[in-house]
Amino acid sequence: MTASHCHCLHRETPSHPEENPTDTDHANVRFPPPLIHLIAVLVAVGLQRLTPLNLPVSWLLTGFGAGVMLLSLLLAGSAFSQFARSNNPVPPNQPVNGLMTQGPFRFTRNPLYLALALLQLGMGLMTGNGWILATLPPALLTVRYYVIRREEAYLTRRFGLAYQDYQSRVRRWF
């Protein structure tokens, strides 16, 4: 049996079969998305020291924040498992081997970015730091227009109609 007939590892075919993933075949995202959220949180901590923006003290907000953070961790764990099962790299500056449509990818095209957003939201609610919530929209916009835009263009080039069909069925965030 030739390699092209082996079904040992599920791989989607690129939109152009003559293309093979190389070191330059990726979404060209040089700034890791977790750093975007980390910077937002660090800016929020600095702003909190300069001009406090406190949320009301409430066990309900704290509990909800803890629940959101737990959901974030569960979502991220499920997504990381899917990356491993699919033999795909997590960093967006590496070529992917196949289009992931199972696990959390059935509900959101970006479960790790959603998990980061939920983590930041939960942190803000748990700590009562309103600046963490205020810096969430700029972080989300940066991820959307710097990271996701590049990834979507890359995946469209790489998987063509299969990715476009997936985009039409599954939301970007949730």
Side-chain angles (χ1 to χ4, degrees):
M1 179 177 276
T2 65
S4 63
H5 293 96
C6 179
H7 297 287
C8 303
L9 178 64
H10 174 69
R11 293 176 189 251
E12 300 286 336
T13 52
S15 58
H16 303 289
E18 69 277 5
E19 293 179 7
N20 290 319
T22 66
D23 289 340
T24 59
D25 180 30
H26 52 75
N28 197 30
V29 174
R30 303 288 183 203
F31 198 77
L35 284 181
I36 294 167
H37 285 277
L38 178 61
I39 289 169
V41 169
L42 292 175
V43 166
V45 169
L47 288 170
Q48 183 71 7
R49 288 182 177 207
L50 294 173
T51 309
L53 181 59
N54 297 316
L55 299 177
V57 177
S58 162
W59 63 269
L60 189 61
L61 283 180
T62 302
F64 185 69
V68 169
M69 289 179 74
L70 178 61
L71 177 62
S72 167
L73 296 175
L74 292 172
L75 180 60
S78 179
F80 282 124
S81 293
Q82 191 62 42
F83 273 96
R85 278 192 292 276
S86 299
N87 196 33
N88 272 320
V90 174
N93 63 349
Q94 296 179 15
V96 298
N97 298 310
L99 185 59
M100 295 188 299
T101 60
Q102 299 301 310
F105 291 90
R106 291 176 296 162
F107 310 107
T108 173
R109 296 194 311 258
N110 300 289
L112 288 178
Y113 304 150
L114 179 56
L116 286 169
L118 292 172
L119 185 63
Q120 185 173 342
L121 173 65
M123 287 175 63
L125 294 173
M126 279 198 64
T127 63
N129 181 339
W131 287 113
I132 293 177
L133 302 181
T135 60
L136 181 56
L140 292 175
L141 288 171
T142 303
V143 169
R144 166 62 182 94
Y145 290 103
Y146 171 70
V147 179
I148 293 174
R149 176 184 283 174
R150 291 170 187 235
E151 286 183 345
E152 288 178 344
Y154 164 65
L155 293 170
T156 299
R157 281 192 317 271
R158 180 96 167 90
F159 300 109
L161 291 177
Y163 183 68
Q164 291 171 338
D165 178 58
Y166 175 63
Q167 281 182 302
S168 71
R169 290 182 287 112
V170 178
R171 292 175 171 267
R172 180 177 288 130
W173 290 99
F174 55 87

